[in-house]
């Protein structure tokens, strides 16, 4: 009897722990995000392009995922044929509809990757904060330049009010830059993303790049002259 009670108690504790983790990250962040898209080779979207640097490919080496994940981007900056553009996700997380609505591309899109940048501003450092994400198809997430989650899989993004993947992240005091990469193979294309903890969303103007050391390009020179 005692053994049964212990097992039941353990199950209840595990259930409570899972419920708490889910609840902490349940609030989906609709945006606004700063968006970029990059087309992949035919039949190579989704899980096949999860670990391929599509920003590097699209820009022909001028910018990489690592640089953007660390430094952010500025609205209007170009990568290949596209510009970083602000946009807010609908409740259903449909990236294809968003890309259409902000004028980046038209129609249904396959074999394509999206990048979404957002900054969460905190007044204090916070450890072990819950993060939830869903994706259609594969997903990769960076926080302050470090990869914190990768799911190389072709899948649907699940329901509007749930997350498929749950993990914990550490937020530093000040600005915390997230970059969410969603690689689409075919059919639906979308994401849900949420973070627990105490923060406020930064304005799009605060998702600014830090001038890279030893890489003063013409673009950087122009920005400095404007200032």
């Amino acid at each position: 009897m005692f053994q049964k009670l212990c097992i039941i108690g353990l199950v209840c504790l595990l259930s409570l722990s899972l419920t708490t983790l889910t609840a902490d990250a349940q609030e989906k962040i609709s945006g606004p995000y700063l968006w970029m898209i990059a087309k992949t080779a035919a039949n190579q979207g989704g899980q096949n392009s999860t670990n391929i640097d599509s920003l590097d490919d699209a820009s022909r080496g001028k910018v990489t995922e690592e640089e953007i994940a660390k430094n952010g981007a500025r609205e209007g900056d170009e990568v290949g044929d596209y510009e970083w553009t602000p946009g807010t996700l609908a409740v259903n997380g449909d990236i294809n509809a968003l890309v259409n609505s902000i004028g980046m591309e038209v129609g249904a899109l396959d074999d394509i990757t999206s990048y979404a940048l957002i900054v969460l501003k905190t007044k204090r450092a916070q450890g072990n904060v819950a993060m939830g994400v869903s994706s259609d198809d594969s997903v990769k997430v960076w926080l302050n330049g470090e990869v914190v989650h990768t799911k190389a899989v072709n899948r649907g993004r699940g329901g509007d009010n749930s997350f498929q993947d749950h993990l914990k992240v550490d937020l530093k005091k000040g600005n915390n830059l997230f970059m969410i990469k969603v690689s689409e193979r075919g059919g639906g294309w979308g994401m849900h993303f949420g973070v627990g903890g105490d923060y406020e969303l930064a304005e799009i103007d605060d998702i600014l790049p830090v001038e890279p050391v030893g890489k003063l390009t013409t673009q950087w020179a122009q920005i400095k002259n404007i200032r």
Side-chain angles (χ1 to χ4, degrees), residues 153-180:
V153 63
N154 290 338
R155 65 180 181 184
R157 63 184 174 276
D160 291 347
N161 298 312
S162 62
F163 295 107
Q164 295 162 308
D165 308 329
H166 301 274
L167 59 150
K168 293 291 188 78
V169 295
D170 295 331
L171 301 179
K172 67 180 183 179
K173 181 180 178 180
N175 287 355
N176 292 271
L177 173 63
F178 284 88
M179 182 168 80
I180 305 103

Side-chain angles (χ1 to χ4, degrees), residues 30 32-37 83-89 95 98-99 102 104 114-117 180 191:
S30 59
Y33 297 89
L34 204 53
W35 294 90
M36 176 55 64
I37 59 175
E83 296 181 355
W84 285 98
T85 305
T88 300
L89 278 171
I95 294 175
L98 177 139
V99 166
I102 63 178
M104 296 187 87
S114 65
Y115 295 87
L117 295 174
I180 305 103
M191 76 175 200

Side-chain angles (χ1 to χ4, degrees), residues 1 13 19 43 70 113 129 140 156 175 179 204 213 216 221:
M1 181 65 177
L13 284 172
T19 300
N43 302 318
K70 285 182 178 178
T113 291
V129 174
K140 193 170 187 176
N175 287 355
M179 182 168 80
I204 288 295
V213 177
L216 184 60

Side-chain angles (χ1 to χ4, degrees), residues 2-88:
F2 178 75
Q3 207 170 19
K4 287 184 178 179
L5 287 173
C6 287
I7 293 172
I8 291 171
L10 182 59
V11 170
C12 289
L13 284 172
L14 288 172
S15 299
L16 179 61
S17 175
L18 181 58
T19 300
T20 302
L21 174 61
T22 304
D24 286 347
Q26 194 65 40
E27 194 70 31
K28 297 196 304 292
I29 300 174
S30 59
Y33 297 89
L34 204 53
W35 294 90
M36 176 55 64
I37 59 175
K39 294 180 179 178
T40 69
N43 302 318
Q44 293 303 308
Q47 65 180 6
N48 292 332
S49 60
T50 309
N51 294 313
I52 293 175
D53 191 335
S54 296
L55 293 180
D56 185 36
D57 288 349
S59 69
R60 297 184 179 180
K62 293 180 180 178
V63 66
T64 66
E65 291 178 345
E66 181 180 7
E67 290 171 341
I68 297 298
K70 285 182 178 178
N71 304 319
R74 190 181 297 272
E75 181 181 350
D77 283 354
E78 296 180 353
V79 177
D81 297 328
Y82 305 100
E83 296 181 355
W84 285 98
T85 305
T88 300

Side-chain angles (χ1 to χ4, degrees), residues 115-132:
Y115 295 87
L117 295 174
I118 197 161
V119 169
L120 309 186
K121 301 174 72 172
T122 65
K123 295 180 179 179
R124 58 184 175 83
Q126 300 169 64
N128 291 320
V129 174
M131 188 188 91

